[in-house]
């Protein structure tokens, strides 16, 4: 998993960290509660994983990196679980191929629940018996494990939506929650003078290693949109031939358009009355004022070209976002879909609703060094061929993101809750 650059003194107190652990474990199980055993076992595509795999994997993380090395006398629950539930930590041993996770009908859901309970009890025992020296050693790992589990909570929702979208019954994961009916505010652009700015995490609090070191960057004057691009604006793009104009597209994106892979955002379906979209609350008419979602980097870049704009760099996005409070439509709001912006007096929707594609390749910051061992594998080895997204989304757990948080996906991928915000040179 990802590692942190914060000093040990930046860690929350023991009672706070332990309570967060308990809350994370309970919330993951609550996310699985609406799902049948069959729902939790099936894998809809190679990028997705079954819910029960996510629940087991985060338990394997605590078992492998905390309990085995630090709890005297701990016995692993099952010798084969390390093979089944390792994700991509080569240093931790061999692992089951990702694209075959849905074939593992055993262990079943009940056995995975028992595994989670076993690991949780062992962690509680470790908390009760750890002396000060041991606690100082395991506390950073517990902190990482808590944030790691939050990442998989978002993945559970992403993967279930993809699975349910392929079911002809169009099942709902959660009841539909209506948002305030509103028109999208006019799209405005806010000026930023640019200059030499600092980018990256600094100070206390949790961060992943890919957010560091903090460093200087030179920004030319730029302008950034007051809100994200809406579904209504995306429909205008489509009706103006956006998916039929090669001049708008990067070559790899246009190749996917020609195969028929890209014709509209993922989960959209043309009906007699217009466009519908599959959501975690079932299939509903597309809300024109809400942020467009489930578009690839290629689509986001093509839209920006069509609009005569561009995508922001991650440094531009971070410079604007760090001046704004970290609040928005996260998972705790229970909409589980993007909703319309309330106003445009200043840049809004920077946090929540949709992850925002930037034009920045996912690469190391100057001076970055991956941590040694298995825990250093998550970030560094993926710093190629992907692009950075910022801000969190409607499925991101509350309190999980920061202005410096760097998410990353391959440019063709559309199953994340990903949208875009426009920018331009000033």
């Amino acid at each position: 998993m990802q590692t942190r650059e914060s000093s040990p003194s930046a860690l929350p107190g023991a009672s706070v960290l332990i309570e967060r652990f308990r809350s994370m474990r309970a919330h993951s199980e609550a996310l699985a509660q609406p799902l049948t055993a069959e729902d939790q076992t099936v894998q809809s595509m190679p990028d997705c994983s079954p819910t029960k795999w996510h629940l087991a994997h985060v338990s394997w993380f605590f078992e492998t990196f905390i309990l085995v090395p630090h709890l005297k006398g701990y016995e692993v629950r099952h010798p084969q679980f390390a093979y089944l539930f390792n994700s991509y930590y080569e240093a931790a041993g061999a692992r089951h191929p990702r694209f075959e996770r849905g074939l593992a009908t055993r262990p079943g859901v009940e056995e995975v629940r028992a595994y989670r309970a076993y690991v949780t009890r062992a962690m509680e025992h470790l908390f009760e018996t750890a002396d000060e020296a041991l606690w100082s050693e395991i506390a950073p790992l517990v902190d990482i494990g808590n944030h790691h589990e939050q990442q998989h909570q978002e993945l559970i929702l992403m993967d279930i939506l993809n699975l349910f979208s392929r079911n002809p019954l169009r099942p709902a994961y959660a009841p539909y929650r209506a948002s305030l009916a509103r028109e999208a505010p006019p799209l405005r652009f806010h000026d930023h003078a640019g200059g030499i700015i600092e980018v990256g995490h600094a100070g206390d609090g949790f961060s992943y290693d890919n957010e560091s070191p903090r460093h200087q960057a030179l920004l030319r004057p730029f302008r950034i949109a007051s809100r994200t691009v809406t579904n209504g604006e995306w429909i205008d793009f489509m009706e103006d031939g956006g998916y039929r104009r090669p001049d708008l597209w990067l070559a790899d994106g246009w190749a996917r358009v020609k195969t028929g892979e890209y014709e509209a955002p993922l989960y959209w379906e043309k009906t007699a009355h217009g466009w519908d979209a599959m959501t975690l609350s079932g299939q509903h008419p597309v809300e024109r004022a809400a942020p467009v979602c489930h578009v690839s980097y290629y689509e986001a870049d093509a839209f920006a070209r069509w609009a005569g704009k561009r995508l922001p760099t991650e440094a531009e996005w971070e410079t604007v976002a760090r001046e704004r409070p970290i609040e928005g439509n996260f998972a705790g709001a229970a909409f589980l879909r993007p909703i319309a912006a309330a106003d445009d007096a200043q840049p809004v929707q920077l946090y929540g609703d949709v992850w925002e594609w930037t034009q920045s390749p996912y690469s190391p910051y100057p001076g970055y060094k991956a941590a040694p061992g298995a825990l250093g594998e998550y970030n560094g080895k993926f710093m190629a061929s992907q692009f950075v997204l910022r801000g969190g989304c409607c499925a991101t757990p509350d309190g999980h993101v920061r202005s410096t948080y760097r998410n990353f996906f391959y440019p063709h991928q559309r199953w994340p809750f990903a949208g875009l915000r426009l920018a331009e040179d000033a």
Side-chain angles (χ1 to χ4, degrees), residues 27-36 39-40 51 55 113 173:
H27 185 60
S28 296
E29 286 146 26
L31 287 175
Q33 193 62 40
L35 303 172
T36 67
D39 293 334
Q40 296 187 53
T51 298
L55 296 174
R113 285 177 182 156
Y173 167 81

Side-chain angles (χ1 to χ4, degrees), residues 29 61 81 98 114 116 121 133 153 178 191 213 254 259 290 361 383 411:
E29 286 146 26
F61 180 95
F81 282 5
R98 178 173 182 169
R116 283 185 62 84
R121 286 195 299 270
Q153 290 166 358
D191 292 309
W254 183 245
T259 66
M383 288 177 169

Side-chain angles (χ1 to χ4, degrees), residues 376-389:
E377 286 191 52
Y378 185 85
N379 277 326
K381 69 181 185 181
F382 291 113
M383 288 177 169
S385 306
Q386 304 195 60
F387 282 83
V388 174
L389 303 92

Side-chain angles (χ1 to χ4, degrees), residues 215-229:
H215 60 282
Q216 290 185 329
L218 174 62
L219 294 184
R220 293 178 61 83
F222 67 95
R223 304 172 73 225
I224 195 164
S226 56
R227 56 164 172 78
T228 57
V229 170

Side-chain angles (χ1 to χ4, degrees), residues 246-266:
D247 58 301
L248 298 175
W249 292 80
L250 295 169
D252 289 347
W254 183 245
R256 291 178 179 272
V257 173
K258 289 196 296 183
T259 66
E261 180 179 351
Y262 297 163
E263 296 178 337
L266 185 63

Side-chain angles (χ1 to χ4, degrees), residues 355-373:
W355 287 102
E356 299 179 23
W357 285 108
T358 73
Q359 64 173 232
S360 299
Y362 178 54
S363 58
Y365 284 161
Y368 170 83
K369 292 182 180 180

Side-chain angles (χ1 to χ4, degrees), residues 320-334:
V320 173
R322 68 185 174 202
E323 304 298 330
R324 305 292 299 140
I326 304 175
E327 57 188 24
N329 175 26
F330 293 110

Side-chain angles (χ1 to χ4, degrees), residues 39 160-171 278 283:
D39 293 334
I160 280 296
L161 174 57
N162 190 269
L163 176 65
F164 281 5
S165 75
R166 296 174 176 230
N167 187 321
L169 300 179
R170 299 293 193 267
M278 183 63 184
Q283 187 163 305

